[in-house]
Amino acid sequence: MYALRDPAQTHSEPDRFFLDPAVRASSDLNALVFRLRKSGPSRGFRDRWFRDERGAHALYAPHPTGAPELEQRFPPSLRLYCLRYDRILIAGHGGLKTTATFQDDPALNAAVADLEAFDTRLQARLELGDVWYDHDDYGHPTLGGDLDFAPDDIP
């Protein structure tokens, strides 16, 4: 798993997510962490645990009833926004969804917009060959190359 980190911030985006008092108080937190730990490069990141939300993927906790069909229609409110590439996860920020759509929440909309912007820059570097897909000693997929992205990077 990779994490976005703004150089102006002390913590990475997922660290800021997990340090947020509202997130820490959420009844969905342990279930979301369980899903994050159960996922991984050897298992892949299960599609059903994520919602596509514009250019990002929202990892969310299981529905309290445990019913998968309800989980897709009415996912719990705690969201960690990520990018997924095959078996690679890039974690961003998120929070509690308290509005009808994530677009109506300025913080969640910004989290998705940040990931969309990063994705555009990552795709450009992949096309230029400055970043590439690789594998570690265990055969797990990794990213190689220049993984430091400044705010004024291309495009």
Side-chain angles (χ1 to χ4, degrees):
M1 180 172 83
Y2 294 85
L4 292 184
R5 182 174 173 274
D6 181 339
Q9 297 288 333
T10 305
H11 299 288
S12 71
E13 294 300 304
D15 286 345
R16 288 179 49 222
F17 171 81
F18 287 112
L19 291 170
D20 181 321
V23 169
R24 295 177 70 78
S26 172
S27 60
D28 294 331
L29 179 61
N30 287 338
L32 185 136
V33 169
F34 175 79
R35 280 195 165 173
L36 193 57
R37 287 187 176 156
K38 287 298 270 188
S39 292
S42 60
R43 295 185 183 114
F45 297 97
R46 298 178 176 139
D47 286 341
R48 69 179 186 269
W49 289 359
F50 292 85
R51 281 181 73 89
D52 289 337
E53 296 193 346
R54 209 166 59 212
H57 305 278
L59 175 66
Y60 56 91
H63 196 276
T65 66
E69 64 279 358
L70 288 177
E71 194 171 288
Q72 283 297 317
R73 290 183 50 217
F74 308 104
S77 61
L78 186 60
R79 309 283 171 90
L80 175 62
Y81 291 103
C82 307
L83 295 173
R84 294 183 310 150
Y85 301 96
D86 186 29
R87 296 182 316 171
I88 295 173
L89 186 78
I90 300 173
H93 200 272
L96 291 169
K97 181 176 169 277
T98 59
T99 57
T101 67
F102 76 89
Q103 294 95 331
D104 295 334
D105 182 310
L108 297 184
N109 196 33
V112 172
D114 288 347
L115 283 168
E116 288 175 318
F118 176 78
D119 184 44
T120 299
R121 293 172 23 216
L122 178 60
Q123 292 305 318
R125 285 208 184 165
L126 285 164
E127 289 174 17
L128 291 170
D130 294 340
V131 173
W132 56 85
Y133 292 104
D134 208 346
H135 290 85
D136 65 14
D137 293 341
Y138 301 101
H140 299 140
T142 61
L143 292 172
D146 183 5
L147 300 176
D148 288 327
F149 290 79
D152 58 350
D153 273 351
I154 55 165

